[in-house]
Amino acid sequence: MLEDEPLNGFTGFARKGKAQFQYSRAAEQAAQEARTEFGEEFLSSIPATDRRWAWVEISLDAIRHNTIQAKQRLRAGVRLMAVVKADAYGHGAVECAKTALSSGADNVGVATVDEAVQLRDAGVTVPILVLSEPPEEAVPLLLAKRITPTVFSPEFALAYGELADLHGMKAPFHLAVNTGMNRIGVRAEDVIEFERQVNFHRALVHEGTFTHFATADSGDTIDFNMQVRRFVDALGALQAAGIDPGIVHAANSAALFRFPDVHFNMARLGIALYGYHPCEQTRGAVDLRPAMAVKARITAAKTVPMSEGVSYGLHYRSPGSVKICTVPIGYADGLNRALSGQVDFILNGQYMRQVGTICMDQCMFEVDLRSFGTRERLDPQVGDVVTIVGRDGNAETTITDMARFLRTIDYEVACNFSLRLPRVFV
Ligand SMILES: *Cc1c(COP(=O)(O)O)cnc(C)c1O
């Protein structure tokens, strides 16, 4: 770089062989003037999809449809909880919660106190259950925001009850019962002992009792039935001791659609709310619509001479007769690097092979420029919309296919697309 020749304020000059750069005062002043001239409001009004050509589209119609499918399976009076943890499995917690609630869901479940606070602050007024026991230090937040915790340790329960009492409040909780998953909860045979330790407390209100299944999505039902039996026994023990278990719930999506016997007073709908099947057994048995699509616009489109490589490692070589197109989405956006060269994107309703290593923020795909069969010659342009996940015409790529290839579950693939992509609700 030439000495003292600033480029947008960057002055490069060599000193003792080391390049040094500094941002000049004049340039900072000019940027300040630009901010004033454009206005901060205008600057922040530039849509996210114009700041970066990659985004997630969420169909709230699909969320509504899936909620209704679930609600229809429940007897009258059985409640439906919309599980919107992890930002609604990557779909946007506030919007999904509100849509589910206006379509038949009765309340919401989350994983963390922060997720509950986000919903309260966004105007969600229904009961919010945190599906695990939070740290004691978070109790003031629970009380101030009317967030219901899961409880399974007497220490937490008493700390919660104490603080509530101090402020003349009640401390409602749902008791988690460990019936075999061994994640959280009071062991089924110990629920009475647990109650003895806490139920003298006047502020504590035993509002619900639940368990969680480890194998509701499995073809084999032996372990599932064992969990059900232990849960029913624990409920019986509570009742025999004169303790009202309150709202009883156990079913996740898989159990909701497969086992009506375990609906009890409420079912907790997670993955199916977003349109994905929890297991093979529900496929064909219930009509779910995937709510998420991932899209991007082409940022570069160029012919690459035959045998030249593309992307890190140059693992892909151009066969000639192709255009290599770049889209600004990569593994930092949830497009798993292990999918490199293994997935198709969709352009104009036609499958295009993703080629080369998926980078952190970008990746490439190949457009065959030859015309063959009935296909017209394609001519991809910068700005054209590409479907990474979703349907375009008769072509469709799914989160389920990606999950299968990655040897994981739809849950994880969907969650990961929330890492950095802006969300558009359609
Ligand atoms: C996540 C979760 C659910 C929802 O499960 P899905 O399989 O997504 O329906 C229900 N209950 C608990 C306790 C959970 O942690």
Side-chain angles (χ1 to χ4, degrees), residues 219-403:
D220 187 346
T221 55
I222 293 175
D223 292 310
F224 175 81
N225 288 331
M226 176 95 79
Q227 283 198 267
V228 174
R229 198 153 54 240
R230 288 188 185 133
F231 189 50
V232 170
D233 285 350
L235 295 171
L238 287 174
Q239 257 141 3
I243 298 158
D244 182 355
I247 304 163
V248 175
H249 48 114
N252 54 4
S253 296
L256 190 161
F257 290 111
R258 294 182 71 200
F259 306 113
D261 284 354
V262 298
H263 288 173
F264 298 102
N265 307 132
M266 181 163 85
R268 306 186 300 265
L269 180 71
I271 193 72
L273 174 59
Y274 310 104
Y276 310 102
H277 286 273
C279 52
E280 287 308 316
Q281 287 81 4
T282 60
R283 249 172 249 288
V286 52
D287 168 35
L288 299 175
R289 294 192 195 149
M292 181 184 283
V294 182
K295 302 202 172 159
R297 287 181 188 276
I298 297 173
T299 52
K302 66 273 168 191
T303 53
V304 173
M306 183 154 68
S307 86
E308 277 195 21
V310 170
S311 197
Y312 290 120
L314 305 181
H315 298 304
Y316 161 87
R317 299 275 164 178
S318 168
S321 72
V322 296
K323 253 190 181 178
I324 297 299
C325 300
T326 304
V327 279
I329 178 170
Y331 60 78
D333 303 296
L335 188 63
N336 197 302
R337 190 171 172 279
L339 294 170
S340 295
Q342 304 292 335
V343 284
D344 286 335
F345 297 160
I346 308 170
L347 180 66
N348 299 329
Q350 298 187 49
Y351 292 109
M352 304 289 144
R353 197 156 71 96
Q354 190 278 316
V355 296
T357 307
I358 293 171
C359 310
M360 187 183 284
D361 324 294
Q362 310 179 69
C363 65
M364 280 64 94
F365 65 94
E366 176 201 79
V367 178
D368 193 330
L369 295 178
R370 292 167 304 172
S371 50
F372 46 81
T374 56
R375 206 188 78 174
E376 280 177 34
R377 190 173 189 278
L378 295 172
D379 186 21
Q381 298 295 321
V382 167
D384 287 355
V385 173
V386 180
T387 299
I388 313 291
V389 171
R391 172 175 282 283
D392 174 9
N394 290 324
E396 186 176 24
T397 59
T398 67
I399 279 179
T400 306
D401 292 336
M402 287 184 177

Side-chain angles (χ1 to χ4, degrees), residues 62-75:
I63 300 287
R64 186 168 302 116
H65 169 87
N66 300 330
T67 308
I68 293 167
Q69 292 298 307
K71 188 74 178 181
Q72 282 173 346
R73 300 294 176 114
L74 304 176
R75 291 185 314 277

Side-chain angles (χ1 to χ4, degrees), residues 64-104:
R64 186 168 302 116
H65 169 87
N66 300 330
T67 308
I68 293 167
Q69 292 298 307
K71 188 74 178 181
Q72 282 173 346
R73 300 294 176 114
L74 304 176
R75 291 185 314 277
V78 175
R79 288 175 229 218
L80 181 65
M81 170 186 283
V83 178
V84 293
K85 62 194 181 193
D87 207 11
Y89 297 36
H91 292 65
V94 171
E95 292 80 359
C96 290
K98 288 183 173 173
T99 303
L101 289 168
S102 68
S103 317

Side-chain angles (χ1 to χ4, degrees), residues 23 49 72 86 118 121 156 170 196 220 246 254 362 385 390 402 409:
Y23 204 58
T49 47
Q72 282 173 346
Q118 183 201 9
D121 290 352
F156 175 85
K170 290 294 179 197
R196 264 197 208 104
D220 187 346
Q362 310 179 69
V385 173
M402 287 184 177
I409 50 177

Side-chain angles (χ1 to χ4, degrees), residues 24-94:
S24 76
R25 278 182 80 87
E28 177 46 47
Q29 215 155 19
Q32 175 58 49
E33 272 164 32
R35 283 200 291 276
T36 312
E37 206 167 302
F38 295 130
E40 294 286 356
E41 206 172 316
F42 166 74
L43 289 173
S44 57
S45 76
I46 298 171
T49 47
D50 287 348
R51 304 198 293 266
R52 184 180 184 214
W53 276 352
W55 66 96
V56 166
E57 276 178 17
I58 303 298
S59 161
L60 293 177
D61 275 346
I63 300 287
R64 186 168 302 116
H65 169 87
N66 300 330
T67 308
I68 293 167
Q69 292 298 307
K71 188 74 178 181
Q72 282 173 346
R73 300 294 176 114
L74 304 176
R75 291 185 314 277
V78 175
R79 288 175 229 218
L80 181 65
M81 170 186 283
V83 178
V84 293
K85 62 194 181 193
D87 207 11
Y89 297 36
H91 292 65
V94 171

